[in-house]
Amino acid sequence: MNKKTTDVQKHIRCREGDVNQYVLLPGDPARAKRIADCMDEATKVAENREYVIYNGYYDGQPVSVCSTGIGGPSAAIAIEELAKVGAHTFIRVGSAGARRSDIPIGSVVVVNSAVRGDGTSTEYLPMSYPAVANFDVTNELVDTSKELNEQCFVGASYTRDAFYMQNEELNDLLLDTDVVVSEMECSTLFIVGSKRRLRVGAVVGTDSNIILKQGYSLEEKERLYYQAEKKAITVALKGAANMSAKEN
């Protein structure tokens, strides 16, 4: 477990007391702003590089949001430094590509585990160690989706580093598994969470599907994705608030 410190952290530029214990982790700084816009009394705490941090309230509970940029290295830095200043529960809120024919673009997916196709996680634990989301956070996200009457799929993600590269042999192999999406952060965050004894979960919206070959324009894909993002943000915020209310 990370030791708390009163020092200002190098990258997120926060110190102990600057962030809440429950933190949402979008990649995109613009998504962090959209999440903050859904909170009450939201204030920007810090901004440096890809890291933009807001504090606010949701359903009366204190929640923070910190953008992490794209990929595992910057996400690992964010969760490491946030833990050092007092955060202990994290929910990734991101985008992902669907990998199953029954998951259309614009779907909400709760990620419960990840295939470790990233490089950063190997610096923390060997490849034989599984990348698994925290059980309590995952259950809360699923229960919150039901509470909100939002359909959500549940399954594993293939986390990978090279956005513009495809391993077709691996893609075919994963078709017959529980992998439902691919993205670039979950494996790293789950492994860092395990190593540092932090609670990490994830809910994502799908912005593409490598199985379905519909000729969507970029504009149509973005329209469908933003609908899913709005739902994922609500699930994450309410899930975090529900956990805070139960535990504090």
Side-chain angles (χ1 to χ4, degrees), residues 206-245:
T206 60
D207 59 6
S208 58
N209 186 312
I210 67 168
I211 308 300
L212 303 177
K213 302 300 182 182
Q214 298 106 321
Y216 287 120
S217 66
L218 177 61
E219 291 76 13
E220 181 66 6
K221 287 182 178 180
E222 288 183 343
R223 183 185 69 81
L224 292 170
Y225 166 69
Y226 284 124
Q227 292 175 357
E229 180 193 77
K230 185 175 182 180
K231 295 175 184 178
I233 288 172
T234 302
V235 169
L237 281 170
K238 190 163 186 64
N242 286 347
M243 294 188 76
S244 177

PDB file of all heavy atoms in Angstrom, residues 206-245:
ATOM      1  N   THR A 206     -18.701   2.024 -25.597  1.00  0.00           N
ATOM      2  CA  THR A 206     -18.082   1.529 -26.822  1.00  0.00           C
ATOM      3  C   THR A 206     -18.198   2.560 -27.943  1.00  0.00           C
ATOM      4  O   THR A 206     -19.261   3.124 -28.186  1.00  0.00           O
ATOM      5  CB  THR A 206     -18.701   0.201 -27.276  1.00  0.00           C
ATOM      6  OG1 THR A 206     -20.100   0.377 -27.527  1.00  0.00           O
ATOM      7  CG2 THR A 206     -18.518  -0.863 -26.202  1.00  0.00           C
ATOM      8  N   ASP A 207     -17.076   2.781 -28.638  1.00  0.00           N
ATOM      9  CA  ASP A 207     -17.037   3.741 -29.735  1.00  0.00           C
ATOM     10  C   ASP A 207     -16.759   3.076 -31.083  1.00  0.00           C
ATOM     11  O   ASP A 207     -16.635   3.751 -32.104  1.00  0.00           O
ATOM     12  CB  ASP A 207     -15.990   4.823 -29.470  1.00  0.00           C
ATOM     13  CG  ASP A 207     -14.580   4.259 -29.299  1.00  0.00           C
ATOM     14  OD1 ASP A 207     -14.383   3.038 -29.493  1.00  0.00           O
ATOM     15  OD2 ASP A 207     -13.673   5.040 -28.968  1.00  0.00           O
ATOM     16  N   SER A 208     -16.656   1.734 -31.085  1.00  0.00           N
ATOM     17  CA  SER A 208     -16.409   0.985 -32.313  1.00  0.00           C
ATOM     18  C   SER A 208     -16.698  -0.480 -32.029  1.00  0.00           C
ATOM     19  O   SER A 208     -16.985  -0.874 -30.899  1.00  0.00           O
ATOM     20  CB  SER A 208     -14.950   1.162 -32.767  1.00  0.00           C
ATOM     21  OG  SER A 208     -14.052   0.732 -31.754  1.00  0.00           O
ATOM     22  N   ASN A 209     -16.618  -1.298 -33.079  1.00  0.00           N
ATOM     23  CA  ASN A 209     -16.788  -2.742 -32.925  1.00  0.00           C
ATOM     24  C   ASN A 209     -16.046  -3.421 -34.073  1.00  0.00           C
ATOM     25  O   ASN A 209     -16.399  -3.221 -35.241  1.00  0.00           O
ATOM     26  CB  ASN A 209     -18.271  -3.126 -32.929  1.00  0.00           C
ATOM     27  CG  ASN A 209     -18.487  -4.599 -32.622  1.00  0.00           C
ATOM     28  OD1 ASN A 209     -17.852  -5.473 -33.187  1.00  0.00           O
ATOM     29  ND2 ASN A 209     -19.398  -4.874 -31.697  1.00  0.00           N
ATOM     30  N   ILE A 210     -15.012  -4.207 -33.741  1.00  0.00           N
ATOM     31  CA  ILE A 210     -14.198  -4.807 -34.796  1.00  0.00           C
ATOM     32  C   ILE A 210     -14.900  -5.981 -35.463  1.00  0.00           C
ATOM     33  O   ILE A 210     -14.457  -6.451 -36.512  1.00  0.00           O
ATOM     34  CB  ILE A 210     -12.820  -5.262 -34.269  1.00  0.00           C
ATOM     35  CG1 ILE A 210     -12.965  -6.430 -33.287  1.00  0.00           C
ATOM     36  CG2 ILE A 210     -12.064  -4.113 -33.639  1.00  0.00           C
ATOM     37  CD1 ILE A 210     -11.650  -7.092 -32.955  1.00  0.00           C
ATOM     38  N   ILE A 211     -15.994  -6.472 -34.878  1.00  0.00           N
ATOM     39  CA  ILE A 211     -16.738  -7.591 -35.445  1.00  0.00           C
ATOM     40  C   ILE A 211     -17.786  -7.101 -36.440  1.00  0.00           C
ATOM     41  O   ILE A 211     -17.939  -7.637 -37.531  1.00  0.00           O
ATOM     42  CB  ILE A 211     -17.421  -8.425 -34.340  1.00  0.00           C
ATOM     43  CG1 ILE A 211     -16.403  -8.829 -33.268  1.00  0.00           C
ATOM     44  CG2 ILE A 211     -18.111  -9.644 -34.931  1.00  0.00           C
ATOM     45  CD1 ILE A 211     -15.250  -9.650 -33.782  1.00  0.00           C
ATOM     46  N   LEU A 212     -18.510  -6.057 -36.038  1.00  0.00           N
ATOM     47  CA  LEU A 212     -19.559  -5.518 -36.893  1.00  0.00           C
ATOM     48  C   LEU A 212     -18.933  -4.615 -37.951  1.00  0.00           C
ATOM     49  O   LEU A 212     -18.078  -3.794 -37.660  1.00  0.00           O
ATOM     50  CB  LEU A 212     -20.572  -4.732 -36.060  1.00  0.00           C
ATOM     51  CG  LEU A 212     -21.244  -5.513 -34.920  1.00  0.00           C
ATOM     52  CD1 LEU A 212     -22.159  -4.599 -34.124  1.00  0.00           C
ATOM     53  CD2 LEU A 212     -22.007  -6.719 -35.458  1.00  0.00           C
ATOM     54  N   LYS A 213     -19.379  -4.740 -39.167  1.00  0.00           N
ATOM     55  CA  LYS A 213     -18.756  -4.021 -40.272  1.00  0.00           C
ATOM     56  C   LYS A 213     -19.662  -2.931 -40.861  1.00  0.00           C
ATOM     57  O   LYS A 213     -19.551  -2.581 -42.019  1.00  0.00           O
ATOM     58  CB  LYS A 213     -18.371  -5.015 -41.382  1.00  0.00           C
ATOM     59  CG  LYS A 213     -17.420  -6.125 -40.933  1.00  0.00           C
ATOM     60  CD  LYS A 213     -16.103  -5.564 -40.398  1.00  0.00           C
ATOM     61  CE  LYS A 213     -15.151  -6.687 -40.013  1.00  0.00           C
ATOM     62  NZ  LYS A 213     -13.884  -6.186 -39.450  1.00  0.00           N
ATOM     63  N   GLN A 214     -20.580  -2.400 -40.052  1.00  0.00           N
ATOM     64  CA  GLN A 214     -21.427  -1.320 -40.563  1.00  0.00           C
ATOM     65  C   GLN A 214     -20.575  -0.118 -40.946  1.00  0.00           C
ATOM     66  O   GLN A 214     -19.587   0.190 -40.288  1.00  0.00           O
ATOM     67  CB  GLN A 214     -22.467  -0.880 -39.515  1.00  0.00           C
ATOM     68  CG  GLN A 214     -23.442  -1.972 -39.118  1.00  0.00           C
ATOM     69  CD  GLN A 214     -23.133  -2.504 -37.735  1.00  0.00           C
ATOM     70  OE1 GLN A 214     -21.959  -2.649 -37.402  1.00  0.00           O
ATOM     71  NE2 GLN A 214     -24.152  -2.793 -36.953  1.00  0.00           N
ATOM     72  N   GLY A 215     -21.024   0.573 -41.986  1.00  0.00           N
ATOM     73  CA  GLY A 215     -20.268   1.721 -42.473  1.00  0.00           C
ATOM     74  C   GLY A 215     -20.623   3.008 -41.773  1.00  0.00           C
ATOM     75  O   GLY A 215     -21.071   3.969 -42.407  1.00  0.00           O
ATOM     76  N   TYR A 216     -20.415   3.054 -40.450  1.00  0.00           N
ATOM     77  CA  TYR A 216     -20.699   4.279 -39.705  1.00  0.00           C
ATOM     78  C   TYR A 216     -19.670   5.354 -40.049  1.00  0.00           C
ATOM     79  O   TYR A 216     -18.477   5.075 -40.169  1.00  0.00           O
ATOM     80  CB  TYR A 216     -20.641   4.027 -38.196  1.00  0.00           C
ATOM     81  CG  TYR A 216     -21.800   3.236 -37.638  1.00  0.00           C
ATOM     82  CD1 TYR A 216     -21.574   2.024 -36.986  1.00  0.00           C
ATOM     83  CD2 TYR A 216     -23.101   3.695 -37.738  1.00  0.00           C
ATOM     84  CE1 TYR A 216     -22.618   1.289 -36.450  1.00  0.00           C
ATOM     85  CE2 TYR A 216     -24.157   2.977 -37.206  1.00  0.00           C
ATOM     86  CZ  TYR A 216     -23.913   1.760 -36.568  1.00  0.00           C
ATOM     87  OH  TYR A 216     -24.954   1.058 -36.054  1.00  0.00           O
ATOM     88  N   SER A 217     -20.125   6.583 -40.175  1.00  0.00           N
ATOM     89  CA  SER A 217     -19.202   7.703 -40.300  1.00  0.00           C
ATOM     90  C   SER A 217     -18.608   8.006 -38.931  1.00  0.00           C
ATOM     91  O   SER A 217     -19.122   7.569 -37.892  1.00  0.00           O
ATOM     92  CB  SER A 217     -19.934   8.938 -40.822  1.00  0.00           C
ATOM     93  OG  SER A 217     -20.880   9.398 -39.859  1.00  0.00           O
ATOM     94  N   LEU A 218     -17.508   8.764 -38.920  1.00  0.00           N
ATOM     95  CA  LEU A 218     -16.911   9.173 -37.652  1.00  0.00           C
ATOM     96  C   LEU A 218     -17.908   9.951 -36.823  1.00  0.00           C
ATOM     97  O   LEU A 218     -18.001   9.762 -35.604  1.00  0.00           O
ATOM     98  CB  LEU A 218     -15.657  10.020 -37.912  1.00  0.00           C
ATOM     99  CG  LEU A 218     -14.956  10.585 -36.673  1.00  0.00           C
ATOM    100  CD1 LEU A 218     -14.478   9.472 -35.756  1.00  0.00           C
ATOM    101  CD2 LEU A 218     -13.785  11.480 -37.087  1.00  0.00           C
ATOM    102  N   GLU A 219     -18.676  10.810 -37.462  1.00  0.00           N
ATOM    103  CA  GLU A 219     -19.664  11.619 -36.746  1.00  0.00           C
ATOM    104  C   GLU A 219     -20.727  10.743 -36.089  1.00  0.00           C
ATOM    105  O   GLU A 219     -21.138  10.991 -34.954  1.00  0.00           O
ATOM    106  CB  GLU A 219     -20.328  12.619 -37.700  1.00  0.00           C
ATOM    107  CG  GLU A 219     -19.407  13.720 -38.190  1.00  0.00           C
ATOM    108  CD  GLU A 219     -18.436  13.249 -39.267  1.00  0.00           C
ATOM    109  OE1 GLU A 219     -18.632  12.134 -39.820  1.00  0.00           O
ATOM    110  OE2 GLU A 219     -17.478  13.983 -39.554  1.00  0.00           O
ATOM    111  N   GLU A 220     -21.184   9.697 -36.806  1.00  0.00           N
ATOM    112  CA  GLU A 220     -22.193   8.808 -36.236  1.00  0.00           C
ATOM    113  C   GLU A 220     -21.622   7.996 -35.085  1.00  0.00           C
ATOM    114  O   GLU A 220     -22.276   7.807 -34.046  1.00  0.00           O
ATOM    115  CB  GLU A 220     -22.743   7.873 -37.321  1.00  0.00           C
ATOM    116  CG  GLU A 220     -23.822   6.908 -36.849  1.00  0.00           C
ATOM    117  CD  GLU A 220     -25.113   7.581 -36.430  1.00  0.00           C
ATOM    118  OE1 GLU A 220     -25.224   8.815 -36.605  1.00  0.00           O
ATOM    119  OE2 GLU A 220     -26.017   6.887 -35.930  1.00  0.00           O
ATOM    120  N   LYS A 221     -20.381   7.515 -35.231  1.00  0.00           N
ATOM    121  CA  LYS A 221     -19.740   6.785 -34.137  1.00  0.00           C
ATOM    122  C   LYS A 221     -19.616   7.664 -32.898  1.00  0.00           C
ATOM    123  O   LYS A 221     -19.866   7.216 -31.771  1.00  0.00           O
ATOM    124  CB  LYS A 221     -18.357   6.297 -34.569  1.00  0.00           C
ATOM    125  CG  LYS A 221     -18.357   5.133 -35.537  1.00  0.00           C
ATOM    126  CD  LYS A 221     -16.924   4.711 -35.847  1.00  0.00           C
ATOM    127  CE  LYS A 221     -16.876   3.519 -36.767  1.00  0.00           C
ATOM    128  NZ  LYS A 221     -15.480   3.102 -37.071  1.00  0.00           N
ATOM    129  N   GLU A 222     -19.217   8.923 -33.097  1.00  0.00           N
ATOM    130  CA  GLU A 222     -19.059   9.822 -31.955  1.00  0.00           C
ATOM    131  C   GLU A 222     -20.402  10.122 -31.305  1.00  0.00           C
ATOM    132  O   GLU A 222     -20.500  10.205 -30.075  1.00  0.00           O
ATOM    133  CB  GLU A 222     -18.367  11.111 -32.402  1.00  0.00           C
ATOM    134  CG  GLU A 222     -16.888  10.912 -32.725  1.00  0.00           C
ATOM    135  CD  GLU A 222     -16.189  12.195 -33.093  1.00  0.00           C
ATOM    136  OE1 GLU A 222     -16.879  13.188 -33.412  1.00  0.00           O
ATOM    137  OE2 GLU A 222     -14.941  12.216 -33.066  1.00  0.00           O
ATOM    138  N   ARG A 223     -21.448  10.268 -32.112  1.00  0.00           N
ATOM    139  CA  ARG A 223     -22.774  10.524 -31.544  1.00  0.00           C
ATOM    140  C   ARG A 223     -23.212   9.358 -30.657  1.00  0.00           C
ATOM    141  O   ARG A 223     -23.690   9.556 -29.531  1.00  0.00           O
ATOM    142  CB  ARG A 223     -23.791  10.736 -32.663  1.00  0.00           C
ATOM    143  CG  ARG A 223     -25.193  11.095 -32.152  1.00  0.00           C
ATOM    144  CD  ARG A 223     -26.199  11.171 -33.286  1.00  0.00           C
ATOM    145  NE  ARG A 223     -26.456   9.844 -33.854  1.00  0.00           N
ATOM    146  CZ  ARG A 223     -27.284   8.954 -33.309  1.00  0.00           C
ATOM    147  NH1 ARG A 223     -27.924   9.231 -32.174  1.00  0.00           N
ATOM    148  NH2 ARG A 223     -27.477   7.784 -33.877  1.00  0.00           N
ATOM    149  N   LEU A 224     -23.040   8.135 -31.154  1.00  0.00           N
ATOM    150  CA  LEU A 224     -23.416   6.962 -30.374  1.00  0.00           C
ATOM    151  C   LEU A 224     -22.539   6.814 -29.136  1.00  0.00           C
ATOM    152  O   LEU A 224     -23.025   6.467 -28.051  1.00  0.00           O
ATOM    153  CB  LEU A 224     -23.301   5.706 -31.249  1.00  0.00           C
ATOM    154  CG  LEU A 224     -24.312   5.606 -32.391  1.00  0.00           C
ATOM    155  CD1 LEU A 224     -23.935   4.467 -33.329  1.00  0.00           C
ATOM    156  CD2 LEU A 224     -25.721   5.416 -31.852  1.00  0.00           C
ATOM    157  N   TYR A 225     -21.239   7.083 -29.305  1.00  0.00           N
ATOM    158  CA  TYR A 225     -20.352   6.964 -28.153  1.00  0.00           C
ATOM    159  C   TYR A 225     -20.715   7.952 -27.052  1.00  0.00           C
ATOM    160  O   TYR A 225     -20.757   7.575 -25.874  1.00  0.00           O
ATOM    161  CB  TYR A 225     -18.883   7.172 -28.541  1.00  0.00           C
ATOM    162  CG  TYR A 225     -18.042   7.390 -27.305  1.00  0.00           C
ATOM    163  CD1 TYR A 225     -17.819   6.350 -26.409  1.00  0.00           C
ATOM    164  CD2 TYR A 225     -17.558   8.662 -26.977  1.00  0.00           C
ATOM    165  CE1 TYR A 225     -17.113   6.555 -25.235  1.00  0.00           C
ATOM    166  CE2 TYR A 225     -16.847   8.869 -25.814  1.00  0.00           C
ATOM    167  CZ  TYR A 225     -16.634   7.820 -24.941  1.00  0.00           C
ATOM    168  OH  TYR A 225     -15.958   8.031 -23.769  1.00  0.00           O
ATOM    169  N   TYR A 226     -20.966   9.201 -27.409  1.00  0.00           N
ATOM    170  CA  TYR A 226     -21.254  10.196 -26.376  1.00  0.00           C
ATOM    171  C   TYR A 226     -22.533   9.878 -25.611  1.00  0.00           C
ATOM    172  O   TYR A 226     -22.663  10.223 -24.430  1.00  0.00           O
ATOM    173  CB  TYR A 226     -21.295  11.596 -26.975  1.00  0.00           C
ATOM    174  CG  TYR A 226     -19.912  12.146 -27.267  1.00  0.00           C
ATOM    175  CD1 TYR A 226     -19.557  12.574 -28.546  1.00  0.00           C
ATOM    176  CD2 TYR A 226     -18.952  12.218 -26.272  1.00  0.00           C
ATOM    177  CE1 TYR A 226     -18.283  13.052 -28.821  1.00  0.00           C
ATOM    178  CE2 TYR A 226     -17.678  12.692 -26.526  1.00  0.00           C
ATOM    179  CZ  TYR A 226     -17.350  13.106 -27.806  1.00  0.00           C
ATOM    180  OH  TYR A 226     -16.081  13.567 -28.058  1.00  0.00           O
ATOM    181  N   GLN A 227     -23.474   9.190 -26.256  1.00  0.00           N
ATOM    182  CA  GLN A 227     -24.645   8.723 -25.524  1.00  0.00           C
ATOM    183  C   GLN A 227     -24.242   7.703 -24.465  1.00  0.00           C
ATOM    184  O   GLN A 227     -24.720   7.744 -23.319  1.00  0.00           O
ATOM    185  CB  GLN A 227     -25.653   8.114 -26.497  1.00  0.00           C
ATOM    186  CG  GLN A 227     -26.305   9.107 -27.442  1.00  0.00           C
ATOM    187  CD  GLN A 227     -27.211   8.438 -28.469  1.00  0.00           C
ATOM    188  OE1 GLN A 227     -27.314   7.209 -28.525  1.00  0.00           O
ATOM    189  NE2 GLN A 227     -27.867   9.242 -29.280  1.00  0.00           N
ATOM    190  N   ALA A 228     -23.350   6.785 -24.868  1.00  0.00           N
ATOM    191  CA  ALA A 228     -22.869   5.774 -23.919  1.00  0.00           C
ATOM    192  C   ALA A 228     -22.004   6.400 -22.838  1.00  0.00           C
ATOM    193  O   ALA A 228     -22.073   6.005 -21.658  1.00  0.00           O
ATOM    194  CB  ALA A 228     -22.082   4.696 -24.662  1.00  0.00           C
ATOM    195  N   GLU A 229     -21.173   7.371 -23.211  1.00  0.00           N
ATOM    196  CA  GLU A 229     -20.311   8.027 -22.230  1.00  0.00           C
ATOM    197  C   GLU A 229     -21.142   8.686 -21.136  1.00  0.00           C
ATOM    198  O   GLU A 229     -20.812   8.578 -19.941  1.00  0.00           O
ATOM    199  CB  GLU A 229     -19.434   9.075 -22.912  1.00  0.00           C
ATOM    200  CG  GLU A 229     -18.511   9.795 -21.929  1.00  0.00           C
ATOM    201  CD  GLU A 229     -17.877  11.029 -22.528  1.00  0.00           C
ATOM    202  OE1 GLU A 229     -18.572  12.075 -22.631  1.00  0.00           O
ATOM    203  OE2 GLU A 229     -16.688  10.965 -22.874  1.00  0.00           O
ATOM    204  N   LYS A 230     -22.217   9.352 -21.526  1.00  0.00           N
ATOM    205  CA  LYS A 230     -23.070  10.014 -20.537  1.00  0.00           C
ATOM    206  C   LYS A 230     -23.638   9.005 -19.547  1.00  0.00           C
ATOM    207  O   LYS A 230     -23.675   9.250 -18.335  1.00  0.00           O
ATOM    208  CB  LYS A 230     -24.199  10.764 -21.246  1.00  0.00           C
ATOM    209  CG  LYS A 230     -25.067  11.593 -20.320  1.00  0.00           C
ATOM    210  CD  LYS A 230     -26.082  12.407 -21.110  1.00  0.00           C
ATOM    211  CE  LYS A 230     -26.928  13.274 -20.181  1.00  0.00           C
ATOM    212  NZ  LYS A 230     -27.919  14.077 -20.958  1.00  0.00           N
ATOM    213  N   LYS A 231     -24.046   7.843 -20.055  1.00  0.00           N
ATOM    214  CA  LYS A 231     -24.566   6.796 -19.173  1.00  0.00           C
ATOM    215  C   LYS A 231     -23.463   6.245 -18.280  1.00  0.00           C
ATOM    216  O   LYS A 231     -23.676   6.034 -17.076  1.00  0.00           O
ATOM    217  CB  LYS A 231     -25.179   5.675 -20.013  1.00  0.00           C
ATOM    218  CG  LYS A 231     -26.398   6.088 -20.817  1.00  0.00           C
ATOM    219  CD  LYS A 231     -26.868   4.950 -21.719  1.00  0.00           C
ATOM    220  CE  LYS A 231     -28.031   5.371 -22.598  1.00  0.00           C
ATOM    221  NZ  LYS A 231     -28.457   4.277 -23.509  1.00  0.00           N
ATOM    222  N   ALA A 232     -22.279   6.011 -18.850  1.00  0.00           N
ATOM    223  CA  ALA A 232     -21.163   5.473 -18.060  1.00  0.00           C
ATOM    224  C   ALA A 232     -20.751   6.441 -16.959  1.00  0.00           C
ATOM    225  O   ALA A 232     -20.426   6.029 -15.839  1.00  0.00           O
ATOM    226  CB  ALA A 232     -19.981   5.163 -18.978  1.00  0.00           C
ATOM    227  N   ILE A 233     -20.748   7.734 -17.274  1.00  0.00           N
ATOM    228  CA  ILE A 233     -20.411   8.745 -16.268  1.00  0.00           C
ATOM    229  C   ILE A 233     -21.402   8.701 -15.115  1.00  0.00           C
ATOM    230  O   ILE A 233     -21.012   8.727 -13.933  1.00  0.00           O
ATOM    231  CB  ILE A 233     -20.374  10.148 -16.903  1.00  0.00           C
ATOM    232  CG1 ILE A 233     -19.130  10.298 -17.799  1.00  0.00           C
ATOM    233  CG2 ILE A 233     -20.391  11.237 -15.820  1.00  0.00           C
ATOM    234  CD1 ILE A 233     -19.120  11.576 -18.618  1.00  0.00           C
ATOM    235  N   THR A 234     -22.688   8.605 -15.434  1.00  0.00           N
ATOM    236  CA  THR A 234     -23.709   8.559 -14.383  1.00  0.00           C
ATOM    237  C   THR A 234     -23.553   7.314 -13.525  1.00  0.00           C
ATOM    238  O   THR A 234     -23.640   7.374 -12.291  1.00  0.00           O
ATOM    239  CB  THR A 234     -25.114   8.601 -15.003  1.00  0.00           C
ATOM    240  OG1 THR A 234     -25.251   9.779 -15.790  1.00  0.00           O
ATOM    241  CG2 THR A 234     -26.187   8.602 -13.927  1.00  0.00           C
ATOM    242  N   VAL A 235     -23.305   6.167 -14.169  1.00  0.00           N
ATOM    243  CA  VAL A 235     -23.103   4.924 -13.419  1.00  0.00           C
ATOM    244  C   VAL A 235     -21.889   5.047 -12.498  1.00  0.00           C
ATOM    245  O   VAL A 235     -21.940   4.651 -11.326  1.00  0.00           O
ATOM    246  CB  VAL A 235     -22.928   3.736 -14.391  1.00  0.00           C
ATOM    247  CG1 VAL A 235     -22.445   2.491 -13.640  1.00  0.00           C
ATOM    248  CG2 VAL A 235     -24.231   3.443 -15.114  1.00  0.00           C
ATOM    249  N   ALA A 236     -20.801   5.616 -13.012  1.00  0.00           N
ATOM    250  CA  ALA A 236     -19.587   5.737 -12.206  1.00  0.00           C
ATOM    251  C   ALA A 236     -19.776   6.703 -11.040  1.00  0.00           C
ATOM    252  O   ALA A 236     -19.376   6.404  -9.904  1.00  0.00           O
ATOM    253  CB  ALA A 236     -18.428   6.193 -13.083  1.00  0.00           C
ATOM    254  N   LEU A 237     -20.356   7.855 -11.310  1.00  0.00           N
ATOM    255  CA  LEU A 237     -20.562   8.839 -10.245  1.00  0.00           C
ATOM    256  C   LEU A 237     -21.502   8.303  -9.165  1.00  0.00           C
ATOM    257  O   LEU A 237     -21.210   8.408  -7.969  1.00  0.00           O
ATOM    258  CB  LEU A 237     -21.127  10.132 -10.825  1.00  0.00           C
ATOM    259  CG  LEU A 237     -20.138  11.072 -11.503  1.00  0.00           C
ATOM    260  CD1 LEU A 237     -20.868  12.186 -12.238  1.00  0.00           C
ATOM    261  CD2 LEU A 237     -19.166  11.670 -10.492  1.00  0.00           C
ATOM    262  N   LYS A 238     -22.617   7.727  -9.584  1.00  0.00           N
ATOM    263  CA  LYS A 238     -23.566   7.218  -8.604  1.00  0.00           C
ATOM    264  C   LYS A 238     -22.992   6.015  -7.876  1.00  0.00           C
ATOM    265  O   LYS A 238     -23.209   5.849  -6.667  1.00  0.00           O
ATOM    266  CB  LYS A 238     -24.892   6.851  -9.275  1.00  0.00           C
ATOM    267  CG  LYS A 238     -26.001   6.543  -8.267  1.00  0.00           C
ATOM    268  CD  LYS A 238     -27.372   6.576  -8.884  1.00  0.00           C
ATOM    269  CE  LYS A 238     -28.458   6.421  -7.825  1.00  0.00           C
ATOM    270  NZ  LYS A 238     -28.465   7.556  -6.855  1.00  0.00           N
ATOM    271  N   GLY A 239     -22.231   5.172  -8.584  1.00  0.00           N
ATOM    272  CA  GLY A 239     -21.578   4.051  -7.922  1.00  0.00           C
ATOM    273  C   GLY A 239     -20.597   4.499  -6.864  1.00  0.00           C
ATOM    274  O   GLY A 239     -20.565   3.956  -5.752  1.00  0.00           O
ATOM    275  N   ALA A 240     -19.783   5.500  -7.202  1.00  0.00           N
ATOM    276  CA  ALA A 240     -18.822   6.027  -6.231  1.00  0.00           C
ATOM    277  C   ALA A 240     -19.545   6.640  -5.030  1.00  0.00           C
ATOM    278  O   ALA A 240     -19.146   6.431  -3.869  1.00  0.00           O
ATOM    279  CB  ALA A 240     -17.926   7.075  -6.899  1.00  0.00           C
ATOM    280  N   ALA A 241     -20.610   7.394  -5.303  1.00  0.00           N
ATOM    281  CA  ALA A 241     -21.370   8.018  -4.218  1.00  0.00           C
ATOM    282  C   ALA A 241     -22.030   6.967  -3.340  1.00  0.00           C
ATOM    283  O   ALA A 241     -22.065   7.089  -2.106  1.00  0.00           O
ATOM    284  CB  ALA A 241     -22.408   8.969  -4.799  1.00  0.00           C
ATOM    285  N   ASN A 242     -22.561   5.903  -3.950  1.00  0.00           N
ATOM    286  CA  ASN A 242     -23.193   4.837  -3.175  1.00  0.00           C
ATOM    287  C   ASN A 242     -22.174   4.170  -2.261  1.00  0.00           C
ATOM    288  O   ASN A 242     -22.460   3.896  -1.080  1.00  0.00           O
ATOM    289  CB  ASN A 242     -23.795   3.783  -4.109  1.00  0.00           C
ATOM    290  CG  ASN A 242     -25.066   4.258  -4.785  1.00  0.00           C
ATOM    291  OD1 ASN A 242     -25.649   5.266  -4.408  1.00  0.00           O
ATOM    292  ND2 ASN A 242     -25.508   3.517  -5.799  1.00  0.00           N
ATOM    293  N   MET A 243     -20.976   3.907  -2.778  1.00  0.00           N
ATOM    294  CA  MET A 243     -19.951   3.279  -1.948  1.00  0.00           C
ATOM    295  C   MET A 243     -19.538   4.193  -0.798  1.00  0.00           C
ATOM    296  O   MET A 243     -19.372   3.747   0.338  1.00  0.00           O
ATOM    297  CB  MET A 243     -18.731   2.924  -2.806  1.00  0.00           C
ATOM    298  CG  MET A 243     -18.995   1.857  -3.838  1.00  0.00           C
ATOM    299  SD  MET A 243     -17.485   1.289  -4.677  1.00  0.00           S
ATOM    300  CE  MET A 243     -16.780   0.272  -3.399  1.00  0.00           C
ATOM    301  N   SER A 244     -19.383   5.479  -1.099  1.00  0.00           N
ATOM    302  CA  SER A 244     -19.008   6.424  -0.052  1.00  0.00           C
ATOM    303  C   SER A 244     -20.068   6.487   1.040  1.00  0.00           C
ATOM    304  O   SER A 244     -19.751   6.509   2.237  1.00  0.00           O
ATOM    305  CB  SER A 244     -18.804   7.810  -0.674  1.00  0.00           C
ATOM    306  OG  SER A 244     -18.512   8.773   0.309  1.00  0.00           O
ATOM    307  N   ALA A 245     -21.347   6.502   0.636  1.00  0.00           N
ATOM    308  CA  ALA A 245     -22.424   6.600   1.612  1.00  0.00           C
ATOM    309  C   ALA A 245     -22.468   5.356   2.513  1.00  0.00           C
ATOM    310  O   ALA A 245     -22.756   5.459   3.723  1.00  0.00           O
ATOM    311  CB  ALA A 245     -23.763   6.771   0.897  1.00  0.00           C
TER     312      ALA A 245
END
